[in-house]
Amino acid sequence: MHNKGLGITVLQEFKWTKKMPLDTSLGKGSKQKISWSKKVLIILGFLFVLGAVALITVAVVQNKPLPKNMKYGIVLDAGSSHTSVYVYNWPAEKENDTGVVQQVEVCKVDGPGISSYSKDVEKAGLSLQDCMNTAKQVIPKKEHRDTPVYLGATAGMRLLSLDNNKIADKVLLSVEKSLRLYPFDFQGCRIITGQEEGAYGWISINYMLGNFKQSSSWMPFQQTSTETSGALDLGGASTQITFEPTDSINESPENFMLFRLYGKTYNVYTHSFLCYGKDQALRLRLANDVKNAGSTNLQNPCFNPGYVKNMSAVDLYGSPCTAKYKLFSSSFILITGTGDYHQCQQNLQDMFNKTECPYSRCSFNRIFQPELSGNFGAFSAFYFVMNFLNLTSEKDLSKVKETLKEFCSESWQQVKEKFPDIKEKYLSEYCFSGTYILTLLEMGYGFTSENWGNINFLRKIKGSDAAWTLGYMLNLTNMIPAELPSSPPLSHASYVGLMVLFSFLLASVVFIGWLYFWKPRCLQKGII
Ligand SMILES: Nc1ccn([C@@H]2O[C@H](COP(=O)(O)OP(=O)(O)O)[C@@H](O)[C@H]2O)c(=O)n1
Ligand SMILES: [Ca+2]
């Protein structure tokens, strides 16, 4: 035996012993044929492995992630209490996909909101500089010129422009002047409407949650779309409710916005209540209390027992929300807390006029609201207050009320000792703010213990703050296409992967077929 191939040698020996006596015709020529077939087999096997390796290499090289070309955008949220600068980025080649824009930086501007600089407008612009310098550091230099900057001012500026339009314009000019000093692509400063604020908040959270994704994978006609989530935003001067109602009753056209996003039409209800943000609501309540009591000395159930505060009349009556209540010439209002949750809630209920409604259904103050439907994301002050009270994941409304009742009844001294690191201004108002949130959601919008669990108090979604700013930028940069971009049903990686798999299958079928029909001599019965 010259053949050292183990298996074949043994089988040949077996055949030989069976076919005794020795057939001399299986001589030299036959042995050559066997070794020739073996060679072909080895060559074919080698080519097969080579082909497979080549296919895999092509697939891996072709799908190697390319160095990302990132684009950047800046949005300034000029709120009533403070301004935040948001820096977003996204891969340039994917800008029309959903869920690709990410927040890379948020910088909280020192000092109050820009509307508070009405007496010294130049300072409004100056206040933004530290955060704009931070943005300059975060964004690569080569991208500066292509980075759009938008400033949207909300309810604080809406109130200032109601009070004094000229001063509001001066404040906007001051911030514009300041933003133009930076190497970015300045796109404008403006006061956004309450309707825009609600709608952009809704777009932001649904974009971040991936709810606009039309999930299509194998078959393009099998597209299913996810339900959208409503948006609840509580600011200092206004509050917004926005959701996609199930019924299409559209009694109040000014409360509806029609969007066509990624190939689907959304008819969204939205309303912004000016003066119902938590800071203005407190002023509204106190101004009413002073009027009803006929005194500037107030016993207030919405502050912890033992809390005493002197509030200036300028502060109380200085906004268009309360200006009409100014009756007294006194320059201070004295507030003494009594810490009674039930009384506080009763007191706050008066702020929601439910008696008149010119439509089939209303939230409050004669404003149309369709039946609540689906889940809601509640952010901004809704989150801050509920998070402080440890109530963001409490799905039982009665437990929420119990916690609040307990917190309100704690003495101011106790509360201060328990939370020494929290600013007194915030801490003293948590009893009021928590009770206000509950009353607004229950009495105002009509949430009940049944659908309380549908509210998700959230601050961030996938690393980005829940705020109207992202939706504003997506809209102004035309990053949300009206129609779903036509794309092949498979991603490139899946396509190459499947091609490799099927090539293997085909090659295996051919190989097995070859083995079966043109059995190489070495594998023929009697040899193998
Ligand atoms: N850590 C924080 C930050 C803000 N806030 C409150 O959140 C609200 C934010 O309102 P905003 O400045 O966006 O005002 P709008 O212009 O949106 O009405 C204010 O009432 C702040 O006092 C809070 O309670 N805790
Ligand atoms: Ca806000």
Side-chain angles (χ1 to χ4, degrees):
M1 279 293 111
H2 301 290
N3 203 324
K4 293 254 157 73
L6 245 184
I8 291 172
T9 312
V10 174
L11 286 167
Q12 271 179 322
E13 273 171 2
F14 169 74
K15 178 76 189 163
W16 182 46
T17 46
K18 251 194 131 184
K19 267 203 168 181
M20 295 286 271
L22 176 68
D23 181 357
T24 44
S25 66
L26 255 177
K28 217 175 171 185
S30 163
K31 275 184 197 165
Q32 269 173 351
K33 269 186 195 164
I34 293 169
S35 70
W36 182 84
S37 305
K38 242 187 77 188
K39 276 180 193 156
V40 170
L41 207 66
I42 289 166
I43 292 168
L44 279 174
F46 176 72
L47 286 177
F48 183 75
V49 172
L50 197 73
V53 170
L55 272 173
I56 292 168
T57 314
V58 168
V60 170
V61 170
Q62 181 66 17
N63 287 295
K64 208 173 70 180
L66 297 167
K68 275 186 190 160
N69 179 17
M70 298 306 274
K71 281 189 167 186
Y72 290 80
I74 303 173
V75 187
L76 288 95
D77 172 358
S80 62
S81 67
H82 73 281
T83 302
S84 293
V85 179
Y86 293 95
V87 180
Y88 297 104
N89 78 359
W90 61 94
E93 59 281 359
K94 281 194 186 165
E95 68 180 16
N96 284 345
D97 287 7
T98 174
V100 294
V101 180
Q102 282 185 335
Q103 179 183 312
V104 282
E105 180 75 35
V106 56
C107 177
K108 199 171 172 286
V109 168
D110 277 341
I114 57 169
S115 54
S116 307
Y117 292 99
S118 56
K119 300 255 158 21
D120 193 354
V121 290
E122 284 312 308
K123 279 199 179 147
L126 288 176
S127 71
L128 309 179
Q129 289 188 350
D130 283 350
C131 278
M132 287 308 289
N133 286 330
T134 306
K136 222 169 115 182
Q137 279 162 12
V138 170
I139 302 170
K141 208 169 172 193
K142 68 176 179 49
E143 299 297 332
H144 285 177
R145 279 165 61 89
D146 293 329
T147 300
V149 181
Y150 305 92
L151 181 142
T154 51
M157 285 298 286
R158 263 173 239 146
L159 290 175
L160 180 61
S161 74
L162 284 176
D163 190 31
N164 191 329
N165 201 15
K166 276 198 182 126
I167 302 245
D169 283 347
K170 279 188 183 163
V171 171
L172 285 178
L173 264 175
S174 156
V175 291
E176 173 172 345
K177 208 171 89 187
S178 178
L179 294 179
R180 279 191 188 278
L181 295 175
Y182 290 85
F184 306 117
D185 177 18
F186 176 76
Q187 292 284 319
C189 296
R190 56 180 283 265
I191 301 172
I192 63 168
T193 65
Q195 212 188 26
E196 284 178 281
E197 193 179 359
Y200 292 135
W202 179 85
I203 290 181
S204 293
I205 69 164
N206 284 291
Y207 176 92
M208 293 190 262
L209 290 169
N211 289 343
F212 296 139
K213 242 175 228 160
Q214 313 278 327
S215 48
S216 71
S217 52
W218 287 85
M219 278 166 257
F221 50 84
Q222 265 195 344
Q223 281 177 359
T224 51
S225 49
T226 327
E227 270 187 18
T228 56
S229 170
L232 298 166
D233 180 355
L234 178 63
S238 77
T239 187
Q240 289 73 238
I241 176 168
T242 312
F243 62 99
E244 210 189 346
T246 40
D247 50 35
S248 51
I249 309 166
N250 188 346
E251 296 172 44
S252 170
E254 70 265 27
N255 288 124
F256 280 86
M257 288 183 109
L258 202 66
F259 297 112
R260 180 128 185 110
L261 314 168
Y262 299 106
K264 200 179 167 229
T265 304
Y266 299 91
N267 194 17
V268 177
Y269 164 84
T270 184
H271 191 81
S272 173
F273 292 90
L274 190 61
C275 301
Y276 281 76
K278 74 177 180 60
D279 305 330
Q280 289 301 327
L282 174 60
R283 284 172 178 75
L284 201 57
R285 186 62 263 163
L286 292 174
N288 261 290
D289 288 345
V290 172
K291 190 182 132 203
N292 296 341
S295 155
T296 51
N297 203 339
L298 294 178
Q299 300 281 309
N300 194 304
C302 303
F303 291 94
N304 297 92
Y307 177 76
V308 181
K309 180 184 169 143
N310 244 337
M311 192 177 193
S312 84
V314 176
D315 186 5
L316 183 57
Y317 299 112
S319 105
C321 301
T322 47
K324 66 175 179 189
Y325 297 101
K326 192 167 194 274
L327 295 171
F328 293 89
S329 53
S330 167
S331 52
F332 280 97
I333 287 97
L334 184 71
I335 304 158
T336 310
T338 58
D340 186 324
Y341 166 74
H342 286 294
Q343 271 188 24
C344 175
Q345 194 171 31
Q346 272 184 353
N347 191 225
L348 295 182
Q349 278 178 12
D350 295 352
M351 297 172 69
F352 304 95
N353 176 6
K354 305 282 282 189
T355 51
E356 292 164 57
C357 177
Y359 306 100
S360 61
R361 48 196 333 284
C362 282
S363 48
F364 58 96
N365 297 3
R366 299 168 56 91
I367 299 299
F368 172 71
Q369 184 187 288
E371 202 178 323
L372 296 169
S373 86
N375 289 321
F376 284 81
F379 49 92
S380 195
F382 277 123
Y383 174 84
F384 296 130
V385 174
M386 296 306 263
N387 183 51
F388 169 80
L389 295 164
N390 249 331
L391 289 172
T392 51
S393 39
E394 181 55 76
K395 298 289 175 195
D396 181 347
L397 183 56
S398 58
K399 290 212 174 117
V400 172
K401 289 180 182 173
E402 258 169 51
T403 307
L404 252 176
K405 191 176 161 198
E406 236 168 75
F407 178 77
C408 288
S409 65
E410 273 184 67
S411 78
W412 175 234
Q413 196 55 38
Q414 261 176 311
V415 173
K416 265 201 307 191
E417 278 164 20
K418 243 173 146 173
F419 305 99
D421 299 333
I422 297 183
K423 268 197 207 160
E424 239 187 73
K425 165 162 170 33
Y426 282 136
L427 196 58
S428 64
E429 287 179 11
Y430 279 127
C431 169
F432 164 80
S433 302
T435 315
Y436 177 68
I437 285 175
L438 242 74
T439 318
L440 171 66
L441 294 174
E442 249 195 315
M443 284 292 295
Y445 298 152
F447 282 95
T448 60
S449 46
E450 268 82 63
N451 58 10
W452 179 261
N454 293 354
I455 307 174
N456 300 301
F457 294 93
L458 43 90
R459 178 179 189 172
K460 281 178 186 269
I461 302 171
K462 294 176 189 159
S464 302
D465 284 43
W468 56 265
T469 43
L470 175 60
Y472 189 60
M473 186 186 76
L474 291 173
N475 186 49
L476 292 181
T477 49
N478 287 322
M479 255 196 277
I480 302 189
E483 299 307 324
L484 197 62
S486 49
S487 59
L490 292 178
S491 71
H492 187 65
S494 330
Y495 164 75
V496 176
L498 284 175
M499 291 312 272
V500 170
L501 184 74
F502 291 141
S503 307
F504 265 123
L505 272 175
L506 267 178
S508 315
V509 168
V510 170
F511 185 64
I512 291 166
W514 176 70
L515 284 182
Y516 190 79
F517 291 109
W518 294 279
K519 283 178 199 157
R521 244 190 100 74
C522 65
L523 295 176
Q524 273 174 23
K525 207 177 170 194
I527 298 175
I528 286 188

